[in-house]
Amino acid sequence: MPPRRRSTPAPGPRTADAVADAVRAGILSGNLAPGTPLREEELSATHGVSRHTARTALAKLTAERLATAEPYRGVRVASLDDDALVALQQLRCALETEALRIVRDRGIHPTGVDAALDDLAAAENAGDWPATLAAHARVHLALVEAAGSPRIAQEYRRLDSEMHLLLTHVRPAYAPGSLSAEHRAYVEQALADPERAVRAHLEHSTRAIIDGRRAG
């Protein structure tokens, strides 16, 4: 009778993913400022991984547009400069407007949006920035997914990391609690008049970031 094979535990997260998660958290918390170099050798030493693993983690962050790779300069935290900011908001506007137009025309109330708004308020009140980022993303995704269009939802999800980065940039423009209040009003307006509300909402956040940069 052949010997029984030992069962092995299911593999955990890939090491490169764990390194990417740690660097992503540093970027989205603001601890790693835009333009900060992300060096393979430093990541390798800090996280106790090989240079290859560190390189894979950086490639993942670059694909998410949280980092940029430039010849002779290496990899750096993405700055989301004015041109990149406007381009991102234009794409969000196109996707979110179309999704909400479908939602309005079909008389749908997006599942989960009310709970996401409550979570956003609770996170802001607690001063929990990572939870605020997550709840903000759920508010917008609930609106988009309600349209029932897999293609629109798929493209919107691909913007998730950049949207988190955008909110990190806009954070200084918002007093505690104002983000959730703004989004409650936005959801109500967007469900009634998406073409106008989405554009106005995104133009407001774009202007807040650009004005804040110029004032700084």
Side-chain angles (χ1 to χ4, degrees):
M1 184 174 180
R4 294 180 62 185
R5 301 178 66 180
R6 291 183 180 179
S7 61
T8 56
R14 291 179 55 204
T15 307
D17 290 340
V19 175
D21 289 346
V23 178
R24 186 186 301 106
I27 295 171
L28 298 181
S29 69
N31 291 331
L32 290 173
T36 300
L38 299 173
R39 298 186 175 92
E40 288 178 16
E41 59 272 22
E42 291 181 3
L43 289 179
S44 175
T46 298
H47 297 279
V49 299
S50 68
R51 291 279 296 270
H52 174 76
T53 298
R55 191 177 308 123
T56 301
L58 291 177
K60 182 176 180 64
L61 295 168
T62 301
E64 294 175 11
R65 296 180 183 270
L66 291 180
T68 57
E70 301 178 14
Y72 310 111
R73 295 191 67 201
V75 180
R76 296 174 179 269
V77 175
S79 63
L80 198 66
D81 62 21
D82 290 356
D83 289 342
L85 169 65
V86 169
L88 171 61
Q89 296 288 63
Q90 288 172 339
L91 180 54
R92 285 184 65 197
C93 187
L95 294 170
E96 197 159 335
T97 298
E98 180 59 17
L100 280 163
R101 186 192 63 76
I102 295 170
V103 168
R104 179 198 58 195
D105 292 351
R106 295 179 181 174
I108 300 168
H109 185 78
T111 302
V113 71
D114 295 325
L117 286 168
D118 290 343
D119 289 346
L120 180 57
E124 277 201 289
N125 289 336
D128 187 337
W129 183 242
T132 298
L133 287 174
H136 171 266
R138 288 199 302 275
V139 170
H140 285 276
L141 190 57
L143 296 175
V144 170
E145 289 187 333
S149 169
R151 291 294 298 272
I152 293 176
Q154 181 184 48
E155 292 304 316
Y156 201 83
R157 286 192 205 97
R158 288 177 179 169
L159 304 178
D160 187 63
S161 292
E162 282 188 282
M163 287 172 56
H164 277 53
L165 182 61
L166 181 150
L167 198 60
T168 299
H169 281 253
V170 84
R171 184 180 184 183
Y174 284 88
S178 60
L179 194 64
S180 56
E182 179 182 297
H183 279 74
R184 286 192 189 278
Y186 168 64
V187 168
E188 182 178 350
Q189 295 160 6
L191 292 174
D193 187 359
E195 291 85 356
R196 178 175 299 180
V198 175
R199 183 174 298 278
H201 178 73
L202 298 182
E203 285 180 351
H204 169 71
S205 59
T206 301
R207 180 50 53 193
I209 295 173
I210 292 175
D211 287 349
R213 288 173 176 172
R214 291 175 180 168

